[in-house]
Amino acid sequence: MDLISESGSIILTSFGLTLRLAFFSGIFSLLLGVVLAIFRVSPVPVLRWVGAAVVYTFRNTPLTLVMFFALFGLSYQLGLSFDEDLIWRNAFWLAVLALSVYTSTFVCEVLRSGINTVPLGQAEAARAIGLTFTQNLRLVVLPQALRSVINPLASVIIAMTKNTTVAVTIGVTTASMVNEASGQMKTLMEKNSDQILLIFIIFAVGFMILTLPIGFFAGWASKRFAVAR
């Protein structure tokens, strides 16, 4: 228990950083995933090609490489910086960018599968009454697609929350130099080699606390907003 009393605030801070990473990455990945899904089903060939290229490229690239590209490629080589004065803040937003782009490709494919579950007759009926492609998607197709893939989307968000651990590879920390959860776990294990099992259990439980509510909420929402067909 000495470990908890001595490092409790640091552990909470590290999980706070993980939670912020997951929150912002989740929002941006959902938004970008919707855009990519629209591109993938667009009647415009160029948009379909762009959507497919982005999805196939990032979905089949390890997240660690995407993180490294964000730091070394975008930031160091191309000069992209979210904060030139605070390195830790720049690293945080680069990690959010990498996580968002990577996760959005999985969101896109989940949404595309949801779009395919919408009966073709509904889309044809919408076109018959004069709705444009955009109106058809916004008013008829996407609302049903989103409601039919709540559980798969939740699985993607849970995986993204656990993928925040990869942010340690580009040095994501807080202003007080506290690492995100996995990085802080490694640091504590190095300093307390006689309590490795306890440290592992603490951080495993911490991630369960972050991810289990997502699954419970998704289970409730999928029943509450199920599409009646």
Side-chain angles (χ1 to χ4, degrees):
M1 293 299 105
D2 290 340
L3 175 68
I4 297 177
S5 61
E6 293 174 2
S7 305
S9 62
I10 294 177
I11 293 173
L12 289 176
T13 301
S14 68
F15 272 108
L17 178 57
T18 295
L19 187 58
R20 291 199 301 275
L21 274 171
F23 176 76
F24 288 110
S25 300
I27 291 175
F28 293 138
S29 63
L30 287 174
L31 294 175
L32 183 56
V34 170
V35 173
L36 287 175
I38 292 173
F39 278 21
R40 293 277 276 150
V41 299
S42 171
V44 181
V46 173
L47 293 181
R48 289 201 305 272
W49 182 87
V50 170
V54 172
V55 168
Y56 290 141
T57 299
F58 287 99
R59 193 178 61 167
N60 295 291
T61 301
L63 178 55
T64 304
L65 293 184
V66 179
M67 285 282 183
F68 283 155
F69 175 75
L71 179 64
F72 298 109
L74 296 181
S75 185
Y76 290 174
Q77 293 296 317
L78 301 180
L80 175 65
S81 177
F82 294 96
D83 195 315
E84 296 181 355
D85 299 322
L86 298 174
I87 296 176
W88 64 269
R89 184 174 293 170
N90 185 52
F92 174 84
W93 287 111
L94 285 172
V96 169
L97 175 63
L99 274 168
S100 300
V101 173
Y102 179 81
T103 307
S104 68
T105 60
F106 294 90
V107 172
C108 166
E109 292 303 275
V110 168
L111 285 177
R112 192 164 70 95
S113 67
I115 290 173
N116 290 335
T117 66
V118 178
L120 184 61
Q122 294 192 22
E124 292 176 344
R127 286 196 297 269
I129 62 174
L131 293 185
T132 64
F133 172 75
T134 303
Q135 291 173 326
N136 196 349
L137 272 179
R138 180 168 57 88
L139 300 175
V140 179
V141 177
L142 276 181
Q144 295 184 70
L146 285 169
R147 291 165 64 184
S148 66
V149 295
I150 291 176
N151 278 323
L153 277 179
S155 297
V156 171
I157 297 302
I158 288 173
M160 182 213 64
T161 302
K162 293 183 288 186
N163 282 341
T164 58
T165 57
V166 182
V168 70
T169 59
I170 62 172
V172 174
T173 66
T174 64
S176 55
M177 302 305 293
V178 175
N179 292 315
E180 52 74 49
S182 67
Q184 198 57 48
M185 181 179 70
K186 178 177 179 293
T187 301
L188 289 175
M189 284 181 171
E190 291 172 349
K191 293 181 178 179
N192 304 273
S193 58
D194 58 329
Q195 301 187 68
I196 288 180
L197 180 60
L198 175 60
I199 295 171
F200 173 80
I201 292 173
I202 290 173
F203 280 87
V205 170
F207 273 101
M208 288 177 63
I209 292 172
L210 290 182
T211 55
L212 281 177
I214 299 174
F216 290 144
F217 175 77
W220 171 83
S222 64
K223 294 177 182 178
R224 173 66 177 79
F225 300 106
V227 179
R229 294 196 176 108

